[in-house]
Amino acid sequence: MSSSPLSKKRRLSGTETKTESHCSSNSLATDLSHTPANGMAKNGSDAEIDEGLYSRQLYVLGHDAMRRMQNSNVLICGARGLGVEIAKNVILGGVRSVTVQDQGVAEWRDLSSQFYLREEDLGMNRAEVSQPRLAELNNYVPVTSYTGALTEDYLAKFHVVVLTNSSLEEQQQVGDMCHNKGIKLIIADTRGLFGQLFCDFGEEMMVQDTNGEQPLSAMISMITKDNSGVVTCLDEARHGFESGDFVTFTEVQGMTELNGCQPVEIKVLGPYTFSICDTSSFTEYVRGGIVSQVKMPKKIAFKSLSSSMAEPDFLMTDFAKFDRPGQLHLGFQAIHAFQKKHSRLPVPWKEADGEEFLSLAKEINSAQLGSAKLEELDEALIKKVSYIAAGDLAPVNAFIGGLAAQEVMKACTGKFMPILQWMYFDALECLGEEDSMLTEEDCAPRNCRYDGQISVFGTKLQDALAKQCYFLVGAGAIGCELLKNFAMIGLAAGDGEVIVTDMDTIEKSNLNRQFLFRPSDVTKMKSDTAAAAVKQMNPSIRITAHQNRVGPDTERVYDDDFFESLNGVANALDNVDARMYMDRRCVYYRKPLLESGTLGTKGNVQVVIPFLTESYSSSQDPPEKSIPICTLKNFPNAIEHTLQWARDEFEGLFKQPSENAMQYLTDSKFMERTLKLTGAQPVEVLEAVYKCLVTDYPHSWKDCVTWARNHWQCQYNNNIRQLLHNFPPDQLTSSGAPFWSGPKRCPHPLEFSNSNELHIDYIMAAANLFAQTYGVQGSNDRTGVLKILQEVKVPTFTPRSGVKIHVSDQELQSSNSSIDDSRLEELKAQLPTHESSHFKLCPIEFEKDDDTNFHMDFIVAASNLRAENYSIPPADRHKSKLIAGKIIPAIATTTSAVVGLVCLELFKIVQGHKKLESYKNGFMNLALPFFAFSEPIAAPKHKYYEIDWTLWDRFEVTGLQPSGEEMTLRQFLDYFKNEHKLEITMLSQGVSMLYSFFMNAAKLKERLDLPMTEIVTKVSKKKLGKHVKALVFELCCNDLTDQDVEVPYVRYTIR
Amino acid sequence: MNSNVENLPPHVLRLVYKEVSALAADPPEGIKVYPSEEDITELHTAIEGPEGTPFAGGIFRMRLVLGKDFPAVPPKGYFLTKIFHPNVGHKGEICVNVLKKDWKAELGLRHVLLTIKCLLIHPNPESALNEEAGRLLLEDYAEYESRARLLTEIHAMAGPGGTSVAPQDTNDGPQPKKHAGDPTKRAGPSAAAVPVALGNGASGASTTSSSNSSNSSSNSTAGKKKVRKKRALRRL
């Protein structure tokens, strides 16, 4: 990758480099489209999308929305913690320009959440200080600061305006101006543990995509002629549609009127059936057809701020807090009223201010005329608003800021459903469980960077946070956001420590959301870079970076001592396996685990608390369905199938053969191992090695092209003809139905053509990859390749008929075995010797993100050719990469919101909250938008005899006996029989079975008197490392009545 | 982390242990189960070819591998014994609905074994992995039967005219070996398995298993295995 990965697609016109962009108040006198961007590329109508940078986000938003974003100028008012969070996400997202407006200066209370302000910036204008730091986030987005007032003329320059830290008067004024001028407005505000969002995108907002889901499609088995016609889908898979969806049809035979029809609305009748329009006049349905969902744009009329204030529509976020939005709607107005009256916020935890605040709220309520008027005020809640309104918390800003930035993107693009129109949020569970009052003194400002947080929680929590030891697993998107929050809240800012580990290096596609990394950091270690970056944000955070992958291999690093020193673990992982591994470690060491993940606009948070909640592994999402091999091999019917086939081709052509051949050449035990394999495998493996080293061995680029051409012929012509020879197009099944019908699409062979771009694409990619594996010089010269192709003689192919059996069984039997054996000997003799040092094979690891390495070129061409074989619509490179590369779509907004929620749970853990209802697991989908919070599921209780236990409990067995000898299996079994009245029927360690009631007698006899650790090493065939102080055993047991009982696991200590 | 079956959560592992012990103690008719002690997530089985099929009289060794997502994802089955069957690929891979779209976590291993046995009785040419077998089954049953029978006799029976005998030691079957850096680890089927010496009779089989369990990696047994291997190969 080049050292400046962002420079690739920038386009600069001559006029764009005139002055500096660090402008203040008057710099935006010119139209924004001509704003200088100091040597930087800029977005705009003429800008291409940098797919390398925006890759993962493009899979969330799509190219159209991305283009619309690149044409939007955004103003973000208020550069405190919330404003800078929104700005960060919007800049990462890639709008045309961002302007940050603020007239205030940095104060101590800002530092608890404004991650681009440092202590030395106190007293300086917040927008101006933040501007250069924000500008670094994305070279394509010019960032300017503005310290002037928000006049009507000024606002007119923008497509979207975001107000944060803004007075009610200003909100109303700007709100009216924006509504009248068609400027989209978002108001975002956070006060301590409370958050508020408001959207007004005008009276005629077109939403292009209301849910962000991929359009579904299904294969049809029947359509009736009726009013309304009923469509039945193949029972391969549920159609997944909902009533009200719109669909259209392709490939329907018989009732062809439906093919390419205007979108028709459907009514779902069942998981495989739905009804459509009147089909009674249509032709009779014969067979086949695909029904595809069509996304219908939706028009939404927003109310202006002033009318929506009185008649608010609320988006519910937590059904356990059903009446909160109305109360908080009023509470936020009371904050504005208090501030207006006193020119200050209520003093944290001051009762007198709370009383006055409450009466202000009552006054406001009684003055209400619209539906905003409440019958009754939740007085305790309103007072709490007063007590903590002066607070400023990084996690709340991260959550609301993530959401607000997504709303900005919705406003720019019409992609996804906006928040209609108010949303309120609170995280009051973060306060002490006993509902005791904190004191005014305890929460008074100290002129320190945590003032904004101390005003909510007091100093005790601050001290506790500083002492925490946390293990952060992963420094990717979630990891970066977590570190930012850790730095802001002061986690490990004293005696504690954050250990962050990640074995990955930074790639260009990370920069779009892993906001601690810059283009110059590409190829550096994530953990080191992230640790250094957050040290800048808060120099007192103690952080150590590791480069280890967590797993059994690193247990000597992350050993008992390591885990015992921790207060908790935060996962920032991208795969379920590692999550489950960390979960198991945390359960074993009884440490709290903060778990979170994102997928596009969806995010979830799970908190695992020892002896209280279930663990991560207790409940799991169903894994993705894999594609059946027969579908891949012979019967693909979707582009996913051809892409997976192409990926398998890649492995089978450019990785495995050379890997095997290299093993043959370098590993002296290879032959011995191979000969031990069962059945025909030894011959198969050696044939493959022979093919790789002898038959296929290319001596020149021309050989590579020839190989590619012949392979093309084999895959896209010969094999298809062979298949059609076995199953001709008119083949019938035993029931008389066409064999090629339903999910089985009848293929047709392709004829190679030098003038077909796709065919040449394939040859270019395949020949170059093949050349790479042999260290032959490849080429990009298509004309040269065309020349070579003209000379290639492709052998003619005749489909093989089944081998007729001429010989008697006996004869064949003996001849067959001798063929195999003699072929084996032949191969052994003919294979090049190990000393043949001229062989330098290079297996290729698939890498999806490098556009010059031919990997994706091969996948796209191979998949689309096969798709053509089966008349499946092809997929472009972008879509192919998503599916074949198993890319997880990702966007900064979701990550920042999710991590905000994670850190709110961290506040609770550090305080030692003990009630299940104090904790919140969260799920969100910013596209809908949808939020759901629920208390974690309690650890399931099990029972044997009268003993209750959960996954957090275990038997502790000391393996080392007083005599210094270790317990034998016999003693172990006896111990459980005598001490716990349990008869062990099966005993296991991991996947190894140490003892079972059905073991054979001889083996049991031998094993009974062996020490436990010896049995473990013997059965598992793995040595126990010196760091292993204890083993985990699982038991199956019977109680005294011979009933099978569930019991906890055993921790068996050996050192 | 390698295959990561070690990552199976305890409650799933417990479920597997229970199912396997139930299967070992009370196997389905015509199927023998040999759990692997080293790795419980790998199950070796021997399925008797059902009467009235071209597989009758044969013993078909089949390996069942539970992945890390079991039971949410069905186990993968591989025939280790060569078989001419529309739904079994040339590497032994099996394509059957119960192991793909019809799979439910509650179905359990017993059901899987019965389904695979059932597949020997009712092949499904419509999801053919062996197209040749699929075609013959549809067009020329006699030919199909004769080919399938031939392969059964060659690969699944003990020897010329002889009756096939499965390993008798149901309680403690042959142990599969792990080959570090196995060149065919992706090929799956029998990468981790050592051929069972079919046709050795009851006593022979138990010798095998005890030699396996005593010390699998010692050099003395390696030689013995080679001989055994050769014998097995010759029968192919």
Side-chain angles (χ1 to χ4, degrees):
Chain A
M1 200 173 278
S2 81
S3 60
S4 174
L6 289 184
S7 63
K8 197 169 153 200
K9 288 189 178 173
R10 81 176 169 194
R11 284 186 170 185
L12 287 174
S13 64
T15 56
E16 285 179 352
T17 45
K18 48 180 191 186
T19 55
E20 46 119 22
S21 62
H22 297 230
C23 51
S24 58
S25 53
N26 298 320
S27 69
L28 284 174
T30 51
D31 188 284
L32 268 168
S33 62
H34 299 296
T35 303
N38 203 15
M40 289 186 283
K42 69 170 194 64
N43 289 328
S45 49
D46 58 338
E48 279 179 37
I49 298 169
D50 184 342
E51 302 220 4
L53 176 68
Y54 294 119
S55 166
R56 307 307 188 257
Q57 178 179 301
L58 276 167
Y59 290 117
V60 183
L61 297 177
H63 286 81
D64 284 352
M66 193 68 217
R67 259 177 234 115
R68 276 181 232 129
M69 272 217 317
Q70 289 187 345
N71 283 315
S72 303
N73 298 313
V74 180
L75 172 67
I76 294 162
C77 305
R80 299 193 64 211
L82 178 60
V84 81
E85 178 69 46
I86 300 170
K88 177 205 85 187
N89 294 328
V90 171
I91 292 165
L92 289 172
V95 293
R96 184 179 201 168
S97 75
V98 168
T99 304
V100 183
Q101 183 266 0
D102 200 330
Q103 295 183 301
V105 296
E107 300 170 53
W108 278 114
R109 65 190 184 112
D110 294 324
L111 294 184
S112 63
S113 75
Q114 219 283 24
F115 46 89
Y116 283 149
L117 291 181
R118 300 172 194 160
E119 295 189 14
E120 59 265 31
D121 301 327
L122 290 171
M124 290 156 74
N125 179 280
R126 289 184 290 238
E128 287 181 339
V129 174
S130 308
Q131 183 272 334
R133 294 166 195 166
L134 285 167
E136 283 180 12
L137 288 166
N138 189 340
N139 285 359
Y140 290 100
V141 181
V143 178
T144 34
S145 59
Y146 174 64
T147 55
L150 301 175
T151 62
E152 197 158 345
D153 278 356
Y154 185 74
L155 293 175
K157 303 175 202 308
F158 298 96
H159 301 95
V160 183
V161 171
V162 184
L163 295 181
T164 72
N165 194 35
S166 175
S167 70
L168 189 58
E169 284 71 37
E170 187 179 61
Q171 287 175 5
Q172 279 165 335
Q173 209 182 353
V174 172
D176 286 344
M177 287 193 278
C178 287
H179 194 80
N180 294 336
K181 293 215 157 196
I183 299 167
K184 290 164 175 114
L185 173 74
I186 294 154
I187 297 173
D189 205 358
T190 59
R191 307 284 173 160
L193 290 161
F194 299 99
Q196 177 194 47
L197 264 178
F198 168 78
C199 296
D200 170 11
F201 297 166
E203 282 164 28
E204 295 197 339
M205 174 71 188
M206 286 305 286
V207 177
Q208 306 293 335
D209 173 1
T210 55
N211 63 13
E213 299 297 327
Q214 288 293 315
L216 300 165
S217 67
M219 288 177 285
I220 299 165
S221 69
M222 180 62 200
I223 307 172
T224 62
K225 269 181 77 159
D226 214 337
N227 189 13
S228 334
V230 174
V231 180
T232 306
C233 299
L234 288 176
D235 61 2
E236 291 288 296
R238 294 160 175 254
H239 56 59
F241 300 139
E242 286 172 26
S243 292
D245 284 351
F246 283 77
V247 299
T248 187
F249 296 82
T250 47
E251 296 184 27
V252 176
Q253 293 175 45
M255 199 180 279
T256 49
E257 292 88 344
L258 284 174
N259 290 330
C261 68
Q262 286 301 306
V264 283
E265 192 172 347
I266 63 160
K267 201 175 143 209
V268 169
L269 305 173
Y272 302 100
T273 51
F274 58 89
S275 64
I276 49 170
C277 51
D278 184 355
T279 56
S280 45
S281 63
F282 291 176
T283 324
E284 196 78 36
Y285 174 83
V286 177
R287 77 172 68 87
I290 292 171
V291 54
S292 306
Q293 195 179 5
V294 182
K295 293 229 162 194
M296 302 299 279
K298 191 172 175 180
K299 193 157 137 189
I300 294 164
F302 285 82
K303 288 188 271 192
S304 70
L305 176 68
S306 27
S307 55
S308 186
M309 273 300 266
E311 302 283 349
D313 297 307
F314 298 119
L315 172 73
M316 286 304 290
T317 56
D318 190 341
F319 286 93
K321 298 174 177 176
F322 192 72
D323 59 348
R324 283 267 161 101
Q327 300 282 343
L328 293 179
H329 190 61
L330 199 77
F332 270 81
Q333 292 178 59
I335 295 173
H336 290 297
F338 191 100
Q339 208 167 5
K340 191 178 176 189
K341 188 171 165 194
H342 296 283
S343 297
R344 65 165 174 88
L345 287 165
V347 172
W349 297 96
K350 183 173 177 160
E351 269 203 90
D353 277 6
E355 292 298 337
E356 191 191 339
F357 187 89
L358 179 61
S359 51
L360 267 177
K362 285 179 177 160
E363 277 172 38
I364 297 166
N365 191 41
S366 49
Q368 295 287 327
L369 299 169
S371 66
K373 185 167 187 157
L374 298 170
E375 279 183 26
E376 204 179 348
L377 255 66
D378 182 340
E379 299 198 354
L381 176 72
I382 296 293
K383 276 192 188 166
K384 277 216 180 97
V385 175
S386 167
Y387 294 153
I388 63 174
D392 193 21
L393 300 173
V396 177
N397 286 337
F399 177 66
I400 298 293
L403 266 51
Q406 189 68 58
E407 294 309 305
V408 172
M409 296 181 189
K410 292 175 188 174
C412 298
T413 64
K415 183 90 181 170
F416 308 145
M417 197 60 157
I419 290 174
L420 296 175
Q421 281 182 276
W422 293 92
M423 191 195 113
Y424 285 95
F425 170 77
D426 77 80
L428 283 178
E429 302 78 15
C430 291
L431 293 174
E433 282 184 315
E434 298 315 316
D435 211 26
S436 58
M437 282 285 290
L438 289 163
T439 64
E440 225 182 293
E441 295 72 46
D442 198 26
C443 301
R446 280 157 173 69
N447 289 347
C448 80
R449 65 174 304 135
Y450 309 114
D451 277 358
Q453 187 164 293
I454 289 172
S455 65
V456 177
F457 295 116
T459 48
K460 211 174 124 208
L461 176 62
Q462 205 55 51
D463 295 341
L465 282 166
K467 291 190 194 115
Q468 295 293 304
C469 286
Y470 258 79
F471 186 27
L472 171 56
V473 191
I478 289 178
C480 282
E481 291 288 333
L482 277 168
L483 282 172
K484 171 196 77 187
N485 280 280
F486 289 175
M488 290 297 104
I489 68 177
L491 189 80
D495 299 333
E497 187 183 12
V498 171
I499 298 108
V500 55
T501 190
D502 197 316
M503 67 288 183
D504 280 344
T505 53
I506 298 162
E507 291 173 28
K508 183 183 174 184
S509 67
N510 300 150
L511 302 176
N512 175 232
R513 64 197 178 287
Q514 303 177 17
F515 83 110
L516 298 176
F517 308 145
R518 302 287 163 264
S520 58
D521 295 326
V522 167
T523 71
K524 289 184 191 162
M525 295 307 301
K526 284 188 175 179
S527 57
D528 293 337
T529 312
V534 287
K535 267 267 185 198
Q536 294 277 313
M537 292 179 176
N538 180 357
S540 52
I541 181 171
R542 301 213 328 178
I543 178 163
T544 310
H546 291 180
Q547 287 81 38
N548 300 317
R549 181 196 296 267
V550 291
D553 295 345
T554 52
E555 282 179 10
R556 56 196 72 239
V557 183
Y558 305 123
D559 58 6
D560 291 5
D561 291 341
F562 176 82
F563 269 94
E564 276 152 20
S565 73
L566 295 177
N567 296 96
V569 175
N571 273 354
L573 291 160
D574 61 357
N575 67 87
V576 172
D577 286 346
R579 284 188 171 103
M580 286 180 57
Y581 173 78
M582 283 314 296
D583 179 56
R584 201 175 66 218
R585 297 290 275 172
C586 288
V587 168
Y588 179 73
Y589 291 108
R590 295 154 168 182
K591 298 295 175 188
L593 172 67
L594 290 162
E595 165 56 46
S596 57
T598 70
L599 170 64
T601 55
K602 298 179 188 123
N604 76 293
V605 176
Q606 185 179 359
V607 52
V608 179
I609 307 293
F611 299 103
L612 186 65
T613 70
E614 64 171 20
S615 82
Y616 171 76
S617 309
S618 303
S619 54
Q620 255 185 283
D621 289 343
E624 255 179 75
K625 291 217 161 173
S626 60
I627 306 165
I629 26 185
C630 32
T631 305
L632 283 179
K633 189 173 176 231
N634 290 330
F635 311 119
N637 60 50
I639 201 71
E640 285 76 9
H641 304 156
T642 63
L643 280 164
Q644 182 62 50
W645 179 88
R647 267 297 276 126
D648 292 349
E649 272 273 285
F650 187 97
E651 298 288 303
L653 293 174
F654 310 122
K655 185 161 176 244
Q656 274 162 34
S658 36
E659 234 171 37
N660 276 359
M662 278 313 276
Q663 281 196 30
Y664 163 77
L665 289 173
T666 56
D667 183 349
S668 55
K669 297 246 169 71
F670 176 83
M671 188 60 92
E672 191 188 321
R673 277 203 311 268
T674 304
L675 292 176
K676 274 188 211 157
L677 296 174
T678 44
Q681 278 199 69
V683 181
E684 276 171 18
V685 171
L686 292 184
E687 288 277 18
V689 173
Y690 184 77
K691 188 171 187 298
C692 179
L693 290 179
V694 183
T695 330
D696 282 352
Y697 195 88
H699 298 279
S700 63
W701 169 239
K702 190 183 166 192
D703 287 354
C704 298
V705 175
T706 307
W707 172 87
R709 174 65 186 89
N710 283 322
H711 193 69
W712 189 101
Q713 193 68 18
C714 179
Q715 293 296 38
Y716 304 110
N717 183 291
N718 301 356
N719 287 354
I720 299 295
R721 278 162 60 207
Q722 178 67 46
L723 181 60
L724 287 172
H725 172 80
N726 283 333
F727 300 114
D730 54 1
Q731 175 80 48
L732 298 180
T733 66
S734 40
S735 61
F739 178 87
W740 295 105
S741 63
K744 290 203 295 289
R745 301 172 70 87
C746 185
H748 65 274
L750 306 183
E751 295 303 330
F752 190 84
S753 160
N754 274 353
S755 56
N756 187 316
E757 288 295 310
L758 182 60
H759 297 186
I760 306 303
D761 285 351
Y762 179 90
I763 301 294
M764 291 303 293
N768 270 291
L769 289 168
F770 192 67
Q772 274 175 42
T773 60
Y774 287 97
V776 172
Q777 180 66 44
S779 164
N780 272 316
D781 175 13
R782 284 173 91 97
T783 329
V785 166
L786 284 173
K787 230 179 232 163
I788 300 173
L789 284 172
Q790 276 160 1
E791 293 164 26
V792 176
K793 291 238 173 349
V794 180
T796 46
F797 171 83
T798 324
R800 300 172 294 269
S801 280
V803 189
K804 294 287 174 211
I805 300 161
H806 302 297
V807 289
S808 77
D809 296 357
Q810 284 287 308
E811 269 173 298
L812 193 117
Q813 205 167 324
S814 52
S815 71
N816 201 1
S817 74
S818 67
I819 286 168
D820 257 17
D821 268 6
S822 62
R823 179 66 189 145
L824 205 60
E825 294 307 317
E826 217 172 275
L827 280 168
K828 276 160 76 179
Q830 285 178 354
L831 275 168
T833 55
H834 296 201
E835 290 73 39
S836 323
S837 56
H838 69 278
F839 290 110
K840 257 192 235 120
L841 295 175
C842 173
I844 303 180
E845 279 301 325
F846 180 65
E847 165 53 54
K848 57 190 179 287
D849 278 325
D850 178 354
D851 282 341
T852 62
N853 66 4
F854 292 106
H855 297 192
M856 275 311 299
D857 301 74
F858 177 81
I859 299 290
V860 174
S863 161
N864 283 342
L865 284 167
R866 186 161 170 85
E868 197 182 330
N869 276 142
Y870 285 89
S871 310
I872 297 166
D876 62 15
R877 186 187 185 90
H878 181 70
K879 187 178 178 189
S880 300
K881 181 167 146 180
L882 172 72
I883 300 166
K886 297 194 180 354
I887 288 177
I888 300 169
I891 188 163
T893 47
T894 315
T895 317
S896 96
V898 158
V899 170
L901 296 179
V902 170
C903 291
L904 290 172
E905 298 310 303
L906 177 61
F907 283 142
K908 302 169 188 174
I909 294 175
V910 174
Q911 290 172 81
H913 281 21
K914 287 178 183 62
K915 296 178 190 159
L916 207 54
E917 61 267 30
S918 300
Y919 292 96
K920 291 272 185 191
N921 286 345
F923 175 81
M924 64 175 93
N925 183 350
L926 302 187
L928 292 174
F930 173 79
F931 302 89
F933 294 97
S934 59
E935 69 182 53
I937 296 172
K941 280 204 170 62
H942 308 275
K943 196 172 189 174
Y944 71 94
Y945 296 122
E946 289 307 305
I947 299 163
D948 286 319
W949 63 278
T950 70
L951 64 112
W952 300 99
D953 295 300
R954 63 192 176 204
F955 294 110
E956 300 276 359
V957 177
T958 312
L960 218 54
Q961 300 188 316
S963 61
E965 305 235 330
E966 203 205 316
M967 216 178 228
T968 60
L969 175 58
R970 188 191 303 277
Q971 288 167 326
F972 187 89
L973 298 177
D974 288 348
Y975 171 84
F976 273 87
K977 198 174 265 172
N978 300 331
E979 296 293 316
H980 299 289
K981 306 280 171 264
L982 292 170
E983 189 201 345
I984 296 176
T985 55
M986 206 179 324
L987 170 67
S988 62
Q989 194 253 343
V991 293
S992 305
M993 194 156 59
L994 308 180
Y995 164 81
S996 63
F997 69 91
F998 54 84
M999 245 170 127
N1000 89 26
K1003 186 183 271 188
L1004 176 61
K1005 189 162 175 266
E1006 176 193 307
R1007 205 167 275 187
L1008 271 175
D1009 294 310
L1010 289 179
M1012 295 296 283
T1013 48
E1014 208 179 313
I1015 302 174
V1016 169
T1017 43
K1018 200 168 168 162
V1019 176
S1020 70
K1021 305 203 174 69
K1022 282 180 203 135
K1023 280 190 186 146
L1024 291 178
K1026 286 207 165 53
H1027 61 281
V1028 178
K1029 290 183 179 159
L1031 294 171
V1032 169
F1033 295 139
E1034 290 285 342
L1035 310 173
C1036 293
C1037 286
N1038 285 346
D1039 65 10
L1040 288 172
T1041 63
D1042 253 3
Q1043 285 295 303
D1044 176 46
V1045 286
E1046 293 247 339
V1047 298
Y1049 73 95
V1050 179
R1051 179 169 178 263
Y1052 177 82
T1053 45
I1054 53 174
R1055 281 186 237 282
Chain B
M1 278 170 276
N2 34 28
S3 69
N4 243 315
V5 277
E6 295 185 7
N7 232 357
L8 281 172
H11 61 271
V12 173
L13 263 183
R14 245 176 265 152
L15 180 100
V16 173
Y17 277 108
K18 281 206 176 126
E19 275 209 66
V20 169
S21 71
L23 278 174
D26 175 25
E29 201 194 327
I31 302 177
K32 294 203 165 59
V33 178
Y34 312 100
S36 152
E37 206 178 46
E38 182 184 341
D39 185 349
I40 191 74
T41 64
E42 194 174 289
L43 216 57
H44 282 248
T45 65
I47 303 174
E48 287 171 23
E51 286 305 318
T53 73
F55 313 107
I59 301 284
F60 295 87
R61 303 206 322 104
M62 200 270 302
R63 178 166 156 253
L64 209 56
V65 181
L66 319 183
K68 63 188 170 64
D69 292 320
F70 183 83
V73 165
K76 283 197 167 63
Y78 301 96
F79 273 98
L80 301 179
T81 309
K82 277 222 173 204
I83 180 167
F84 186 75
H85 188 289
N87 308 108
V88 182
H90 78 282
K91 285 180 173 157
E93 63 276 34
I94 305 170
C95 214
V96 54
N97 280 345
V98 162
L99 296 185
K100 39 181 203 180
K101 73 181 170 80
D102 293 348
W103 173 253
K104 286 190 203 72
E106 323 62 270
L107 283 180
L109 297 179
R110 183 176 299 267
H111 184 84
V112 171
L113 293 178
L114 287 171
T115 304
I116 292 173
K117 187 183 161 189
C118 204
L119 192 67
L120 297 182
I121 306 169
H122 301 288
N124 176 16
E126 282 164 55
S127 56
L129 265 181
N130 181 340
E131 307 88 33
E132 179 72 8
R135 179 181 73 93
L136 286 178
L137 179 66
L138 286 175
E139 290 188 337
D140 188 349
Y141 187 82
E143 178 74 19
Y144 163 79
E145 192 179 24
S146 104
R147 297 272 311 265
R149 168 139 298 280
L150 177 68
L151 274 258
T152 302
E153 282 166 9
I154 296 173
H155 297 289
M157 291 189 184
T163 50
S164 166
V165 182
Q168 293 296 297
D169 189 354
T170 48
N171 286 349
D172 198 46
Q175 302 308 313
K177 300 289 166 302
K178 293 269 191 223
H179 300 289
D182 194 327
T184 56
K185 58 180 178 261
R186 261 184 54 96
S190 38
V194 147
V196 185
L198 294 178
N200 280 353
S203 56
S206 61
T207 337
T208 310
S209 71
S210 63
S211 80
N212 270 339
S213 60
S214 63
N215 194 342
S216 56
S217 54
S218 86
N219 290 328
S220 63
T221 50
K224 211 190 242 171
K225 242 176 278 155
K226 239 182 187 168
V227 176
R228 201 149 45 81
K229 166 80 231 168
K230 275 238 160 126
R231 230 186 294 149
L233 262 176
R234 199 150 299 139
R235 273 194 308 278
L236 287 173

